[in-house]
Amino acid sequence: MTFHIITFGCQMNVADSEWLANILKARGLKQVATAAEADIILLNTCSVREKPELKVRSALGRIQQETGGRLNVLVGVAGCVAQQLGTTLFSYSPQVRLVAGTDQIAAIPDAIKLLVQEPSRTLCLTGFTEGYHERPAAQGETSPGAFVNIMQGCDNFCTYCIVPFTRGRQKSRSAKAILAECEAALKNGAREITLLGQNVNAYGKDKSGDGTSFFSLLKQVSALDPSMRLRYVTPHPKDMTEEDIEAFALLPNLCPRLHLPMQAGSDKVLKRMNRRYDSAGFLKLVSGLRRARPDLALSTDLIVGFPGETEEDFLQTLSMTEQCGFMSSYSFCYSDRPGTRASTYLDKIAPEIQLDRLQRLQALQDRLTASWLNARAGQTTEVLIEQQSPRQNEAGYVSWQGRDPYGALIHLSLPADAGNATGREMPVKITSAFKHSLHAELL
Ligand code: SAH
Ligand code: SF4
Ligand code: F3S
């Protein structure tokens, strides 16, 4: 049988989909590139922003079109929208016979087996597990970067956010299992490890923690291989300890890049978001980080038009963004998510004001990004090649792309006879900046 997976959402979903693909392949199923060729189609969904139900509905419509609506095609909806909507999803398309929430990814392979044997059945699995459930190891093809889950869920309840509802309570994975997965990935050829979670530096601070702190975990992973690259995503500013900051000075393989969501610059808005830090605290954290690692590249997430946000509040977001000098940011207009506290706030901001603020914020970010990228021209760095680049090849050359330790996207041309460069690390000199990436040549 053949299967096809469509993934929306964050890196956790990407990691879940990758695990699923590997385990299904290990069970003898064949992964195919389009829905049209597949007997089984899995849609891994996200509910964090903007009309996720509609997005799922239209994806299911496309699947119906591409498969001619055949009812012997088994469609499963997994992830955060599945967790949120449960059995309602069966009414979206007659092809949907499986709904699997965020803690039920591991149950999907057996569920598929059952549903293939019993074509008239449907299954809706949306229970949350007690503690972090280990899944069977599923080694895929060698890829230069490995993403390793260190926890599930989130306990922060930022007032705008649906994640604590869709992913459930925070559950830390045992350090032993994390280290074993990292070791296996390195043995399989990975050159970079990214530790994953919704609030990674709260690792261990829940019932299923085994006494290991985030810093201690980071040190242990770092020690597995001094020559690999280590990253993590996403930390919460309120949970960054002195040790987490010092780690950037102490651990040579911890990359000088941190994605540190600020969300807003106004203390009033931060308070109403329940972020539990203020602008002064955030700036102090940033300067501590830069003291530990002067060349640290920072990126962030920002929300504009949060309920009650005045022009004054918004100007503080602009000012903080400028002061922190983020090399990139993801910015979004606030949108109501069902069940969240902010969705009950009455002082919503008009969409046209939200959009105007978003554009002004993005114009500022474009300027900061350009200045960060332009300052890199002439520097030497090391690139880890990830894949061929969509850029035009010059005669006799192939265009490749990869990332440097700062996480900047770098394009470079290599002689066509150099073979497959994926996973290779090479010293390069940056020659020029594009809008969102850099161009380099081999040193
Ligand atoms: N755990 C991570 C990621 C959360 S979701 C963190 O704490 O940063 C990713 C981003 O989506 C958030 O950082 C936030 O900027 C944005 N986001 C979440 N809910 C939102 C909402 N209701 N409206 C607009 N943006 C939202
Ligand atoms: Fe959502 Fe806040 Fe948890 Fe991030 S820390 S997942 S924004 S509740
Ligand atoms: Fe989306 Fe769920 Fe991730 S809501 S951002 S897929 S945790």
Side-chain angles (χ1 to χ4, degrees), residues 172-187:
S172 294
R173 187 179 184 191
S174 82
K176 197 167 155 234
I178 296 168
L179 288 163
E181 186 174 330
C182 292
E183 263 180 314
L186 291 168
K187 217 176 260 162

Side-chain angles (χ1 to χ4, degrees), residues 138-336:
Q139 200 65 264
E141 287 152 31
T142 306
S143 91
F147 289 88
V148 177
N149 235 319
I150 68 167
M151 69 210 310
Q152 264 282 41
C154 179
D155 286 346
N156 284 328
F157 290 94
C158 301
T159 56
Y160 50 80
C161 186
I162 200 167
V163 171
F165 304 95
T166 58
R167 292 263 166 187
R169 295 289 59 72
Q170 180 179 311
K171 289 165 280 198
S172 294
R173 187 179 184 191
S174 82
K176 197 167 155 234
I178 296 168
L179 288 163
E181 186 174 330
C182 292
E183 263 180 314
L186 291 168
K187 217 176 260 162
N188 195 35
R191 298 302 304 142
E192 177 175 300
I193 287 181
T194 305
L195 303 179
L196 271 188
Q198 290 295 355
N199 184 8
V200 284
N201 45 357
Y203 172 78
K205 297 183 192 161
D206 54 77
K207 273 191 298 199
S208 49
D210 64 3
T212 310
S213 70
F214 179 64
F215 175 67
S216 155
L217 178 73
L218 202 61
K219 254 192 332 193
Q220 292 177 63
V221 176
S222 160
L224 291 176
D225 178 356
S227 75
M228 68 154 171
R229 293 178 178 185
L230 177 58
R231 304 180 191 276
Y232 59 82
V233 75
T234 311
H236 193 301
K238 77 170 166 56
D239 292 310
M240 289 289 290
T241 61
E242 282 301 320
E243 285 181 319
D244 295 344
I245 297 171
E246 273 313 295
F248 284 97
L250 280 174
L251 307 177
N253 52 5
L254 181 62
C255 290
R257 162 70 181 270
L258 187 66
H259 187 73
L260 187 67
M262 180 172 84
Q263 309 300 1
S266 140
D267 292 342
K268 183 194 90 194
V269 173
L270 286 170
K271 199 165 174 57
R272 289 188 99 205
M273 287 177 161
N274 190 32
R275 290 292 289 176
R276 289 176 274 173
Y277 54 84
D278 59 12
S279 54
F282 192 86
L283 287 175
K284 188 164 163 257
L285 175 57
V286 166
S287 66
L289 285 161
R290 292 230 158 97
R291 215 171 308 125
R293 184 80 206 225
D295 59 340
L296 185 74
L298 281 176
S299 52
T300 199
D301 287 351
L302 299 162
I303 296 177
V304 300
F306 185 77
E309 184 190 72
T310 62
E311 174 67 15
E312 272 302 296
D313 293 323
F314 171 66
L315 290 177
Q316 279 162 20
T317 297
L318 288 185
S319 156
M320 286 284 287
T321 300
E322 179 118 44
Q323 284 176 71
C324 296
F326 298 117
M327 52 93 82
S328 81
S329 62
Y330 295 106
S331 46
F332 318 97
C333 291
Y334 166 81
S335 80
D336 273 345

Side-chain angles (χ1 to χ4, degrees), residues 382-394:
E382 178 126 321
V383 59
L384 171 60
I385 304 281
E386 290 172 353
Q387 61 193 63
Q388 281 199 20
S389 150
R391 292 199 165 257
Q392 185 85 41
N393 295 333
E394 302 153 47

Side-chain angles (χ1 to χ4, degrees), residues 9-10 13 45-48 80 163 166-167 198:
C10 64
N13 269 13
T45 59
C46 171
S47 5
V48 89
C80 289
V163 171
T166 58
R167 292 263 166 187
Q198 290 295 355

